[in-house]
Amino acid sequence: MTAQDHDLGAAGATGEPATGPVPHGRSGDRASAPAGDGDDGVEDALALVGRRSAPSPQGQGTPAPGQAGPIPRRHRGMPWDEARAVASRAGRAGALRTHRDSLSASLGRVLATPLTAFIDLPSFDTSAMDGWAVAGPGPWTVVSGEHGILAGHGEAETLVDGTAVHIATGARVPPGATAVIRSEHARTDDSGHLHAQRQVLHGQDIRPRGQECRSGDQLLPAGTLVTPAVLGLAAAAGYDELHTVVRPKVQVLVLGDELLTEGLPHDGLIRDALGPMIGPWLRALGAEVTGTRRVGDDADALQRAVTESEADLVITTGGTAAGPVDHVHPMLRKVGAEMLVDGVAVRPGHPMLLAGLAPGRHLVGLPGNPLAAVSGLLTLAEPLLRQRAGQATPAPYRASLRDEVHGHPQDTRLVPVVHRGDTVVPLHYRGPAMLRGIAAAHGLAVVPPGGGRPGDELEVLELPWPPSSEGCFT
Protein backbone atom coordinates (compact mmCIF):
# COMPACT_ATOMS: atom_id res chain seq x y z
CA MET A 1 0.00 0.00 0.00
CA THR A 2 1.22 3.52 -0.71
CA ALA A 3 1.77 6.16 1.93
CA GLN A 4 -1.24 8.03 3.19
CA ASP A 5 -2.16 11.33 1.61
CA HIS A 6 -0.07 14.25 2.75
CA ASP A 7 -2.27 16.77 0.95
CA LEU A 8 -2.86 19.89 2.95
CA GLY A 9 -6.50 19.15 2.10
CA ALA A 10 -6.75 17.93 5.63
CA ALA A 11 -7.50 20.79 7.86
CA GLY A 12 -5.14 23.62 7.16
CA ALA A 13 -5.51 25.96 10.08
CA THR A 14 -8.12 23.86 11.85
CA GLY A 15 -5.53 21.73 13.55
CA GLU A 16 -7.16 18.50 12.44
CA PRO A 17 -5.03 15.57 11.39
CA ALA A 18 -4.40 15.32 7.67
CA THR A 19 -5.78 11.82 7.39
CA GLY A 20 -7.57 9.14 9.31
CA PRO A 21 -7.40 5.47 8.46
CA VAL A 22 -7.12 5.27 4.70
CA PRO A 23 -9.74 3.11 3.04
CA HIS A 24 -8.46 1.86 -0.31
CA GLY A 25 -5.05 3.18 0.71
CA ARG A 26 -3.26 1.85 -2.37
CA SER A 27 -4.21 5.05 -4.16
CA GLY A 28 -3.93 7.65 -1.49
CA ASP A 29 -4.06 11.22 -2.60
CA ARG A 30 -0.39 12.04 -2.92
CA ALA A 31 0.96 12.89 -6.31
CA SER A 32 2.13 9.66 -7.85
CA ALA A 33 5.90 9.99 -7.80
CA PRO A 34 8.47 7.19 -7.78
CA ALA A 35 9.37 5.73 -4.43
CA GLY A 36 11.77 7.93 -2.56
CA ASP A 37 10.75 11.16 -4.25
CA GLY A 38 10.06 13.64 -1.48
CA ASP A 39 8.81 16.53 -3.57
CA ASP A 40 5.18 16.07 -2.54
CA GLY A 41 6.03 16.40 1.12
CA VAL A 42 7.84 19.66 0.43
CA GLU A 43 4.96 21.02 -1.64
CA ASP A 44 2.40 20.11 0.97
CA ALA A 45 4.45 21.70 3.70
CA LEU A 46 4.61 24.84 1.59
CA ALA A 47 0.87 24.70 1.18
CA LEU A 48 0.41 25.22 4.90
CA VAL A 49 2.43 28.41 4.97
CA GLY A 50 2.57 29.64 1.39
CA ARG A 51 -0.90 31.06 0.83
CA ARG A 52 -1.33 33.17 -2.28
CA SER A 53 1.98 31.99 -3.71
CA ALA A 54 2.09 32.04 -7.50
CA PRO A 55 1.60 28.69 -9.22
CA SER A 56 4.82 27.12 -10.41
CA PRO A 57 5.18 25.72 -13.93
CA GLN A 58 4.00 22.21 -14.71
CA GLY A 59 6.63 19.51 -14.26
CA GLN A 60 8.52 18.31 -17.28
CA GLY A 61 7.50 15.08 -18.94
CA THR A 62 3.76 15.34 -18.35
CA PRO A 63 2.08 12.91 -20.77
CA ALA A 64 -0.30 14.34 -23.33
CA PRO A 65 -3.95 13.30 -23.15
CA GLY A 66 -4.34 9.98 -24.90
CA GLN A 67 -0.89 8.70 -23.94
CA ALA A 68 -0.61 5.83 -21.51
CA GLY A 69 2.48 4.96 -19.57
CA PRO A 70 4.09 5.37 -16.16
CA ILE A 71 3.34 8.64 -14.46
CA PRO A 72 6.59 10.65 -14.65
CA ARG A 73 8.39 12.25 -11.77
CA ARG A 74 6.77 15.49 -10.55
CA HIS A 75 3.67 14.84 -12.64
CA ARG A 76 1.16 17.50 -11.61
CA GLY A 77 -1.78 16.37 -13.65
CA MET A 78 -4.22 18.20 -15.88
CA PRO A 79 -5.69 21.49 -14.61
CA TRP A 80 -8.98 20.90 -12.84
CA ASP A 81 -11.23 22.92 -15.14
CA GLU A 82 -9.59 21.39 -18.21
CA ALA A 83 -10.18 17.88 -16.84
CA ARG A 84 -13.86 18.68 -16.33
CA ALA A 85 -14.09 19.90 -19.92
CA VAL A 86 -12.42 16.73 -21.25
CA ALA A 87 -14.90 14.59 -19.31
CA SER A 88 -17.82 16.60 -20.66
CA ARG A 89 -16.58 16.23 -24.25
CA ALA A 90 -16.15 12.49 -23.73
CA GLY A 91 -19.79 12.27 -22.64
CA ARG A 92 -20.92 14.14 -25.75
CA ALA A 93 -18.91 11.98 -28.13
CA GLY A 94 -21.54 9.27 -28.64
CA ALA A 95 -25.10 9.53 -29.86
CA LEU A 96 -27.74 9.57 -27.15
CA ARG A 97 -29.91 6.48 -26.84
CA THR A 98 -33.58 7.38 -26.57
CA HIS A 99 -36.79 5.52 -25.81
CA ARG A 100 -40.53 6.09 -25.72
CA ASP A 101 -42.19 4.92 -22.55
CA SER A 102 -45.24 5.47 -20.38
CA LEU A 103 -45.44 8.58 -18.26
CA SER A 104 -44.77 6.74 -15.01
CA ALA A 105 -41.74 4.92 -16.45
CA SER A 106 -40.26 8.24 -17.62
CA LEU A 107 -39.87 9.72 -14.15
CA GLY A 108 -36.27 10.75 -13.44
CA ARG A 109 -35.17 10.64 -17.07
CA VAL A 110 -34.51 13.57 -19.38
CA LEU A 111 -36.68 14.70 -22.29
CA ALA A 112 -35.08 13.74 -25.61
CA THR A 113 -37.35 16.11 -27.53
CA PRO A 114 -39.24 19.23 -26.51
CA LEU A 115 -42.61 18.82 -24.80
CA THR A 116 -45.08 20.43 -27.18
CA ALA A 117 -48.75 21.01 -26.43
CA PHE A 118 -51.16 18.82 -28.40
CA ILE A 119 -54.16 20.97 -27.41
CA ASP A 120 -55.06 24.35 -25.97
CA LEU A 121 -54.90 24.46 -22.18
CA PRO A 122 -57.56 24.73 -20.99
CA SER A 123 -59.28 23.30 -24.05
CA PHE A 124 -62.49 25.27 -23.35
CA ASP A 125 -63.56 28.14 -21.09
CA THR A 126 -63.82 26.75 -17.57
CA SER A 127 -65.00 27.99 -14.22
CA ALA A 128 -62.21 28.79 -11.79
CA MET A 129 -64.50 28.53 -8.75
CA ASP A 130 -67.65 26.92 -7.42
CA GLY A 131 -70.44 29.45 -7.80
CA TRP A 132 -72.73 30.91 -10.41
CA ALA A 133 -72.27 31.52 -14.12
CA VAL A 134 -74.16 34.71 -14.96
CA ALA A 135 -75.04 36.56 -18.16
CA GLY A 136 -75.30 40.34 -18.28
CA PRO A 137 -76.07 42.60 -15.32
CA GLY A 138 -77.98 41.41 -12.26
CA PRO A 139 -80.00 40.56 -10.40
CA TRP A 140 -80.33 37.28 -12.26
CA THR A 141 -83.04 34.69 -12.52
CA VAL A 142 -81.71 31.25 -11.55
CA VAL A 143 -82.45 28.78 -14.33
CA SER A 144 -80.43 25.78 -13.12
CA GLY A 145 -81.63 22.54 -11.72
CA GLU A 146 -80.52 21.17 -8.36
CA HIS A 147 -76.85 20.69 -9.28
CA GLY A 148 -76.35 23.06 -12.19
CA ILE A 149 -73.35 22.52 -14.48
CA LEU A 150 -70.80 19.96 -13.27
CA ALA A 151 -67.25 19.28 -14.40
CA GLY A 152 -66.95 16.62 -17.07
CA HIS A 153 -70.30 17.31 -18.67
CA GLY A 154 -70.87 18.50 -22.23
CA GLU A 155 -71.67 22.02 -23.33
CA ALA A 156 -74.68 23.53 -21.54
CA GLU A 157 -77.42 25.61 -23.05
CA THR A 158 -76.74 29.25 -23.82
CA LEU A 159 -77.39 31.70 -21.00
CA VAL A 160 -79.42 34.75 -21.90
CA ASP A 161 -78.93 38.12 -20.24
CA GLY A 162 -80.37 38.29 -16.77
CA THR A 163 -80.04 34.58 -16.01
CA ALA A 164 -77.68 32.51 -13.85
CA VAL A 165 -76.82 28.86 -13.38
CA HIS A 166 -74.97 26.88 -10.67
CA ILE A 167 -71.48 25.86 -11.85
CA ALA A 168 -68.68 23.75 -10.36
CA THR A 169 -64.95 24.37 -10.49
CA GLY A 170 -63.51 23.05 -13.77
CA ALA A 171 -66.89 22.85 -15.50
CA ARG A 172 -67.37 24.19 -19.00
CA VAL A 173 -68.70 27.77 -18.92
CA PRO A 174 -71.95 27.96 -20.92
CA PRO A 175 -72.15 30.14 -24.02
CA GLY A 176 -73.38 33.63 -23.22
CA ALA A 177 -71.91 33.69 -19.68
CA THR A 178 -70.10 36.92 -18.89
CA ALA A 179 -68.71 36.09 -15.43
CA VAL A 180 -68.62 33.58 -12.60
CA ILE A 181 -69.60 34.72 -9.12
CA ARG A 182 -68.17 32.75 -6.22
CA SER A 183 -70.74 31.07 -4.00
CA GLU A 184 -69.72 33.14 -0.99
CA HIS A 185 -70.12 36.39 -2.91
CA ALA A 186 -73.81 35.97 -3.85
CA ARG A 187 -77.20 35.20 -2.28
CA THR A 188 -80.63 34.22 -3.54
CA ASP A 189 -83.88 35.76 -2.38
CA ASP A 190 -87.24 34.12 -1.81
CA SER A 191 -88.27 34.83 -5.40
CA GLY A 192 -85.37 32.81 -6.81
CA HIS A 193 -83.31 35.77 -7.92
CA LEU A 194 -79.51 35.91 -7.46
CA HIS A 195 -77.89 39.05 -6.03
CA ALA A 196 -74.16 39.81 -6.07
CA GLN A 197 -72.70 41.06 -2.82
CA ARG A 198 -69.79 42.82 -4.48
CA GLN A 199 -68.95 44.29 -7.85
CA VAL A 200 -68.98 41.81 -10.74
CA LEU A 201 -66.30 42.29 -13.38
CA HIS A 202 -66.66 41.00 -16.92
CA GLY A 203 -64.81 37.65 -17.28
CA GLN A 204 -64.05 37.23 -13.59
CA ASP A 205 -63.21 33.69 -12.38
CA ILE A 206 -63.39 32.30 -15.93
CA ARG A 207 -60.31 30.52 -17.24
CA PRO A 208 -60.40 31.26 -20.96
CA ARG A 209 -59.48 28.61 -23.50
CA GLY A 210 -55.73 28.62 -24.21
CA GLN A 211 -54.88 30.68 -21.11
CA GLU A 212 -51.91 28.39 -20.26
CA CYS A 213 -50.87 27.45 -23.78
CA ARG A 214 -52.01 27.05 -27.35
CA SER A 215 -51.75 23.87 -29.37
CA GLY A 216 -48.20 23.64 -30.77
CA ASP A 217 -46.59 25.77 -28.04
CA GLN A 218 -43.32 24.42 -26.64
CA LEU A 219 -43.93 23.75 -22.97
CA LEU A 220 -40.47 22.45 -22.00
CA PRO A 221 -37.19 22.10 -23.92
CA ALA A 222 -35.28 18.89 -24.57
CA GLY A 223 -32.94 18.15 -21.69
CA THR A 224 -35.55 18.87 -19.01
CA LEU A 225 -35.53 16.43 -16.12
CA VAL A 226 -38.85 14.59 -15.87
CA THR A 227 -40.13 15.39 -12.40
CA PRO A 228 -43.61 14.64 -10.97
CA ALA A 229 -44.68 18.13 -12.05
CA VAL A 230 -43.50 17.45 -15.61
CA LEU A 231 -45.54 14.25 -15.64
CA GLY A 232 -48.62 16.23 -14.60
CA LEU A 233 -48.05 18.84 -17.30
CA ALA A 234 -47.50 16.16 -19.95
CA ALA A 235 -50.72 14.41 -18.97
CA ALA A 236 -52.66 17.69 -19.06
CA ALA A 237 -51.22 18.42 -22.51
CA GLY A 238 -52.48 15.08 -23.83
CA TYR A 239 -49.42 12.81 -23.60
CA ASP A 240 -49.66 9.08 -22.90
CA GLU A 241 -45.90 8.48 -23.24
CA LEU A 242 -42.71 10.53 -23.35
CA HIS A 243 -39.60 10.42 -25.54
CA THR A 244 -36.69 10.37 -23.10
CA VAL A 245 -32.95 9.69 -23.02
CA VAL A 246 -31.99 6.24 -21.80
CA ARG A 247 -30.03 6.43 -18.58
CA PRO A 248 -26.35 5.54 -19.01
CA LYS A 249 -25.43 2.22 -17.42
CA VAL A 250 -22.68 2.34 -14.81
CA GLN A 251 -20.91 -0.47 -12.97
CA VAL A 252 -18.88 0.17 -9.83
CA LEU A 253 -15.80 -1.93 -9.07
CA VAL A 254 -14.55 -1.55 -5.50
CA LEU A 255 -10.93 -2.69 -5.38
CA GLY A 256 -8.99 -4.02 -2.41
CA ASP A 257 -8.34 -7.02 -0.18
CA GLU A 258 -8.56 -5.01 3.02
CA LEU A 259 -12.25 -4.09 2.87
CA LEU A 260 -15.06 -5.30 5.11
CA THR A 261 -18.72 -5.08 4.15
CA GLU A 262 -20.04 -5.37 7.70
CA GLY A 263 -18.95 -5.22 11.31
CA LEU A 264 -16.17 -3.28 12.98
CA PRO A 265 -12.65 -2.84 11.58
CA HIS A 266 -10.17 -5.38 12.94
CA ASP A 267 -6.80 -6.94 12.24
CA GLY A 268 -5.84 -4.34 9.64
CA LEU A 269 -9.16 -4.63 7.82
CA ILE A 270 -11.36 -1.57 7.38
CA ARG A 271 -14.97 -0.93 6.39
CA ASP A 272 -15.68 -0.18 2.76
CA ALA A 273 -17.03 3.37 2.76
CA LEU A 274 -17.18 3.79 -1.02
CA GLY A 275 -19.31 0.78 -1.98
CA PRO A 276 -22.38 2.07 -0.10
CA MET A 277 -21.81 5.64 -1.30
CA ILE A 278 -20.83 5.58 -4.98
CA GLY A 279 -23.86 3.74 -6.40
CA PRO A 280 -26.51 5.99 -4.83
CA TRP A 281 -24.46 9.07 -5.76
CA LEU A 282 -24.41 7.95 -9.41
CA ARG A 283 -28.15 7.28 -9.36
CA ALA A 284 -28.67 10.82 -8.12
CA LEU A 285 -26.77 11.95 -11.23
CA GLY A 286 -29.23 10.11 -13.48
CA ALA A 287 -27.28 6.89 -14.06
CA GLU A 288 -28.60 3.34 -14.02
CA VAL A 289 -26.21 1.50 -11.71
CA THR A 290 -26.08 -2.11 -12.85
CA GLY A 291 -24.23 -3.24 -9.74
CA THR A 292 -21.42 -2.70 -7.25
CA ARG A 293 -18.84 -5.47 -7.42
CA ARG A 294 -15.85 -6.07 -5.16
CA VAL A 295 -12.58 -7.08 -6.76
CA GLY A 296 -9.50 -8.08 -4.77
CA ASP A 297 -5.91 -7.04 -5.41
CA ASP A 298 -5.65 -9.23 -8.49
CA ALA A 299 -4.62 -7.73 -11.83
CA ASP A 300 -6.21 -10.50 -13.90
CA ALA A 301 -9.48 -10.31 -11.99
CA LEU A 302 -9.58 -6.55 -12.53
CA GLN A 303 -8.98 -6.94 -16.26
CA ARG A 304 -11.73 -9.55 -16.56
CA ALA A 305 -14.17 -7.38 -14.62
CA VAL A 306 -13.51 -4.36 -16.86
CA THR A 307 -13.49 -6.16 -20.22
CA GLU A 308 -16.57 -8.23 -19.43
CA SER A 309 -18.61 -5.26 -18.21
CA GLU A 310 -21.38 -4.10 -20.54
CA ALA A 311 -21.75 -0.75 -18.78
CA ASP A 312 -21.31 2.56 -20.57
CA LEU A 313 -19.13 3.72 -17.69
CA VAL A 314 -17.03 1.63 -15.33
CA ILE A 315 -16.09 3.28 -12.03
CA THR A 316 -13.16 1.87 -10.08
CA THR A 317 -12.18 2.88 -6.55
CA GLY A 318 -8.54 2.77 -5.51
CA GLY A 319 -5.61 1.38 -7.43
CA THR A 320 -4.93 4.51 -9.51
CA ALA A 321 -1.52 5.43 -8.10
CA ALA A 322 1.79 3.58 -8.58
CA GLY A 323 1.97 1.21 -5.61
CA PRO A 324 2.66 -2.53 -5.78
CA VAL A 325 -1.04 -3.45 -5.94
CA ASP A 326 -2.21 -0.45 -7.98
CA HIS A 327 -3.31 -2.35 -11.07
CA VAL A 328 -5.51 0.19 -12.88
CA HIS A 329 -2.82 1.83 -15.05
CA PRO A 330 -1.20 -1.45 -16.16
CA MET A 331 -4.62 -2.94 -16.90
CA LEU A 332 -5.61 0.04 -19.06
CA ARG A 333 -2.38 -0.20 -21.03
CA LYS A 334 -2.89 -3.94 -21.50
CA VAL A 335 -6.42 -3.55 -22.91
CA GLY A 336 -5.38 -0.68 -25.19
CA ALA A 337 -7.46 1.99 -23.51
CA GLU A 338 -7.06 5.62 -24.52
CA MET A 339 -5.93 7.70 -21.55
CA LEU A 340 -7.89 10.96 -21.64
CA VAL A 341 -7.08 12.30 -18.17
CA ASP A 342 -4.18 10.89 -16.17
CA GLY A 343 -4.09 12.76 -12.90
CA VAL A 344 -5.69 16.11 -12.10
CA ALA A 345 -4.15 19.09 -10.33
CA VAL A 346 -6.75 19.04 -7.58
CA ARG A 347 -6.68 18.23 -3.86
CA PRO A 348 -7.99 15.88 -2.69
CA GLY A 349 -8.17 13.46 -5.57
CA HIS A 350 -5.00 14.04 -7.58
CA PRO A 351 -4.56 10.46 -8.93
CA MET A 352 -8.00 10.23 -10.59
CA LEU A 353 -8.15 9.24 -14.24
CA LEU A 354 -10.45 8.95 -17.25
CA ALA A 355 -9.89 6.46 -20.05
CA GLY A 356 -11.75 5.46 -23.21
CA LEU A 357 -12.36 1.70 -23.34
CA ALA A 358 -14.23 1.62 -26.66
CA PRO A 359 -16.45 4.00 -28.63
CA GLY A 360 -19.06 5.23 -26.17
CA ARG A 361 -17.52 3.34 -23.22
CA HIS A 362 -15.31 4.87 -20.55
CA LEU A 363 -13.65 4.15 -17.24
CA VAL A 364 -13.26 6.65 -14.41
CA GLY A 365 -10.68 5.66 -11.84
CA LEU A 366 -11.35 7.21 -8.44
CA PRO A 367 -8.74 7.47 -5.69
CA GLY A 368 -9.32 5.23 -2.70
CA ASN A 369 -9.61 7.90 0.00
CA PRO A 370 -13.31 8.70 0.47
CA LEU A 371 -13.28 12.49 0.07
CA ALA A 372 -10.76 12.12 -2.75
CA ALA A 373 -13.21 9.75 -4.45
CA VAL A 374 -15.96 12.38 -4.10
CA SER A 375 -13.60 14.85 -5.77
CA GLY A 376 -13.18 12.40 -8.64
CA LEU A 377 -16.93 11.94 -8.96
CA LEU A 378 -17.51 15.67 -9.26
CA THR A 379 -14.52 16.31 -11.51
CA LEU A 380 -14.80 13.47 -14.04
CA ALA A 381 -17.86 11.26 -13.54
CA GLU A 382 -20.52 13.95 -13.16
CA PRO A 383 -19.71 15.98 -16.34
CA LEU A 384 -19.49 12.78 -18.40
CA LEU A 385 -22.72 11.30 -17.04
CA ARG A 386 -24.70 14.50 -17.45
CA GLN A 387 -23.84 14.55 -21.14
CA ARG A 388 -24.60 10.83 -21.57
CA ALA A 389 -27.95 11.34 -19.82
CA GLY A 390 -28.82 14.35 -21.99
CA GLN A 391 -28.89 16.69 -19.00
CA ALA A 392 -27.95 20.32 -19.21
CA THR A 393 -24.91 21.09 -17.09
CA PRO A 394 -26.02 23.26 -14.14
CA ALA A 395 -24.86 26.83 -14.43
CA PRO A 396 -22.08 27.43 -11.92
CA TYR A 397 -22.76 29.87 -9.17
CA ARG A 398 -20.41 31.82 -6.97
CA ALA A 399 -20.63 32.69 -3.32
CA SER A 400 -18.64 34.83 -0.94
CA LEU A 401 -16.26 33.03 1.42
CA ARG A 402 -16.77 33.80 5.10
CA ASP A 403 -13.57 32.27 6.51
CA GLU A 404 -10.07 31.91 5.15
CA VAL A 405 -9.18 28.65 3.39
CA HIS A 406 -5.58 27.60 2.96
CA GLY A 407 -4.65 26.66 -0.58
CA HIS A 408 -2.21 24.43 -2.33
CA PRO A 409 0.59 26.32 -4.13
CA GLN A 410 -0.27 24.90 -7.55
CA ASP A 411 -3.44 22.79 -7.31
CA THR A 412 -7.14 23.59 -7.03
CA ARG A 413 -8.79 22.48 -3.81
CA LEU A 414 -12.37 21.26 -3.35
CA VAL A 415 -13.56 22.10 0.15
CA PRO A 416 -16.92 21.10 1.70
CA VAL A 417 -18.93 24.17 2.69
CA VAL A 418 -22.31 25.12 4.12
CA HIS A 419 -24.36 28.21 3.37
CA ARG A 420 -24.63 30.85 6.06
CA GLY A 421 -26.73 33.71 4.78
CA ASP A 422 -25.04 35.11 1.68
CA THR A 423 -21.73 33.39 2.42
CA VAL A 424 -20.30 29.90 2.45
CA VAL A 425 -18.38 28.55 5.41
CA PRO A 426 -15.68 25.87 5.10
CA LEU A 427 -16.28 22.76 7.17
CA HIS A 428 -13.82 20.95 9.38
CA TYR A 429 -13.08 17.26 8.81
CA ARG A 430 -12.15 17.78 5.20
CA GLY A 431 -9.11 15.55 5.01
CA PRO A 432 -8.91 13.18 2.01
CA ALA A 433 -9.88 10.14 4.11
CA MET A 434 -12.76 11.90 5.88
CA LEU A 435 -16.46 11.89 5.08
CA ARG A 436 -17.72 13.71 8.16
CA GLY A 437 -17.50 17.12 6.49
CA ILE A 438 -19.02 16.21 3.13
CA ALA A 439 -21.89 14.41 4.90
CA ALA A 440 -22.94 17.75 6.40
CA ALA A 441 -22.04 19.90 3.37
CA HIS A 442 -24.28 21.89 1.06
CA GLY A 443 -21.65 21.92 -1.69
CA LEU A 444 -17.93 22.09 -2.41
CA ALA A 445 -16.12 25.37 -2.90
CA VAL A 446 -13.55 25.48 -5.69
CA VAL A 447 -10.52 27.07 -4.03
CA PRO A 448 -7.87 28.31 -6.49
CA PRO A 449 -4.12 27.78 -5.98
CA GLY A 450 -2.96 29.96 -3.13
CA GLY A 451 -6.20 29.73 -1.16
CA GLY A 452 -9.10 32.03 -0.43
CA ARG A 453 -9.61 34.94 1.93
CA PRO A 454 -12.81 36.18 3.56
CA GLY A 455 -14.91 37.98 0.96
CA ASP A 456 -13.46 36.13 -2.04
CA GLU A 457 -16.08 34.98 -4.55
CA LEU A 458 -15.60 31.26 -5.19
CA GLU A 459 -17.36 28.84 -7.52
CA VAL A 460 -19.49 26.32 -5.63
CA LEU A 461 -20.29 22.81 -6.88
CA GLU A 462 -23.76 21.71 -5.88
CA LEU A 463 -24.41 18.24 -4.58
CA PRO A 464 -27.05 16.20 -6.47
CA TRP A 465 -29.61 16.39 -3.65
CA PRO A 466 -31.24 19.17 -1.63
CA PRO A 467 -29.21 20.67 1.22
CA SER A 468 -29.81 18.89 4.50
CA SER A 469 -29.53 20.44 7.93
CA GLU A 470 -27.68 23.59 8.77
CA GLY A 471 -24.57 21.50 9.17
CA CYS A 472 -22.00 21.56 11.89
CA PHE A 473 -18.23 21.31 12.27
CA THR A 474 -17.75 24.92 11.18
Side-chain angles (χ1 to χ4, degrees):
M1 294 172 59
T2 59
Q4 294 181 359
D5 187 359
H6 293 284
D7 179 7
L8 101 126
T14 64
E16 299 157 15
T19 58
V22 184
H24 317 277
R26 65 189 53 73
S27 59
D29 229 4
R30 16 181 331 137
S32 302
D37 186 347
D39 288 344
D40 280 344
V42 173
E43 289 174 357
D44 293 329
L46 287 173
L48 293 171
V49 296
R51 295 181 296 242
R52 297 287 179 181
S53 56
S56 63
Q58 295 269 332
Q60 299 299 314
T62 301
Q67 285 185 335
I71 300 176
R73 190 174 188 270
R74 297 181 60 80
H75 172 66
R76 294 231 51 82
M78 186 179 291
W80 177 78
D81 53 353
E82 183 180 339
R84 296 249 302 171
V86 169
S88 185
R89 288 196 298 271
R92 290 197 302 269
L96 294 178
R97 299 194 305 275
T98 63
H99 189 262
R100 291 190 180 275
D101 216 332
S102 66
L103 295 185
S104 59
S106 300
L107 182 65
R109 299 181 187 170
V110 169
L111 293 178
T113 53
L115 189 74
T116 303
F118 290 149
I119 56 173
D120 297 344
L121 284 182
S123 54
F124 46 79
D125 293 351
T126 62
S127 176
M129 303 295 295
D130 290 335
W132 305 85
V134 299
W140 301 271
T141 300
V142 177
V143 298
S144 64
E146 181 180 357
H147 299 294
I149 303 173
L150 302 179
H153 288 238
E155 187 172 347
E157 295 182 2
T158 300
L159 280 183
V160 298
D161 281 356
T163 61
V165 62
H166 272 295
I167 193 166
T169 302
R172 183 193 294 261
V173 173
T178 55
V180 170
I181 304 175
R182 303 182 186 191
S183 297
E184 61 269 27
H185 295 163
R187 63 175 179 83
T188 55
D189 60 23
D190 294 338
S191 64
H193 286 86
L194 180 74
H195 300 266
Q197 295 180 307
R198 59 180 61 185
Q199 183 181 7
V200 178
L201 302 177
H202 186 85
Q204 74 178 28
D205 286 326
I206 294 177
R207 297 185 181 126
R209 175 174 181 165
Q211 182 184 52
E212 185 169 2
C213 67
R214 289 291 184 181
S215 176
D217 285 353
Q218 179 176 304
L219 303 177
L220 295 169
T224 300
L225 180 67
V226 179
T227 63
V230 171
L231 293 180
L233 176 62
Y239 283 80
D240 298 320
E241 60 182 19
L242 290 175
H243 188 203
T244 58
V245 178
V246 175
R247 292 186 183 97
K249 293 183 178 180
V250 184
Q251 184 177 26
V252 181
L253 303 179
V254 180
L255 312 183
D257 288 337
E258 76 279 19
L259 303 176
L260 297 169
T261 59
E262 60 183 14
L264 297 176
H266 61 85
D267 300 327
L269 302 177
I270 57 174
R271 280 296 297 270
D272 169 27
L274 297 185
M277 177 177 73
I278 300 299
W281 198 302
L282 296 169
R283 290 187 188 96
L285 294 176
E288 177 187 343
V289 180
T290 61
T292 297
R293 177 178 172 186
R294 288 170 174 80
V295 180
D297 293 325
D298 183 315
D300 292 336
L302 173 61
Q303 182 175 336
R304 286 194 302 272
V306 170
T307 56
E308 293 173 2
S309 175
E310 297 181 355
D312 302 304
L313 175 63
V314 176
I315 300 278
T316 62
T317 67
T320 56
V325 291
D326 289 336
H327 299 306
V328 175
H329 278 93
M331 178 274 299
L332 291 173
R333 289 193 294 270
K334 193 171 180 180
V335 302
E338 179 187 11
M339 190 67 72
L340 302 175
V341 176
D342 191 0
V344 179
V346 65
R347 304 301 174 110
H350 180 277
M352 68 180 73
L353 61 86
L354 168 63
L357 300 174
R361 295 190 63 239
H362 295 86
L363 180 144
V364 168
L366 303 178
N369 278 322
L371 188 58
V374 170
S375 175
L377 280 174
L378 295 174
T379 302
L380 299 178
E382 179 175 0
L384 187 150
L385 285 174
R386 285 194 181 279
Q387 295 296 336
R388 288 302 302 268
Q391 296 182 19
T393 302
Y397 73 94
R398 304 181 72 84
S400 179
L401 190 62
R402 193 190 75 176
D403 303 333
E404 183 174 10
V405 177
H406 291 243
H408 191 276
Q410 292 121 341
D411 294 353
T412 299
R413 287 192 67 203
L414 301 182
V415 176
V417 294
V418 291
H419 293 284
R420 289 289 185 270
D422 295 331
T423 66
V424 290
V425 182
L427 293 170
H428 297 319
Y429 307 108
R430 56 181 181 255
M434 299 179 180
L435 289 174
R436 192 173 173 184
I438 190 66
H442 297 160
L444 284 95
V446 181
V447 180
R453 293 193 176 116
D456 285 354
E457 293 278 327
L458 300 183
E459 181 180 349
V460 179
L461 302 179
E462 289 187 317
L463 300 176
W465 47 76
S468 55
S469 64
E470 284 298 303
C472 49
F473 321 132
T474 56

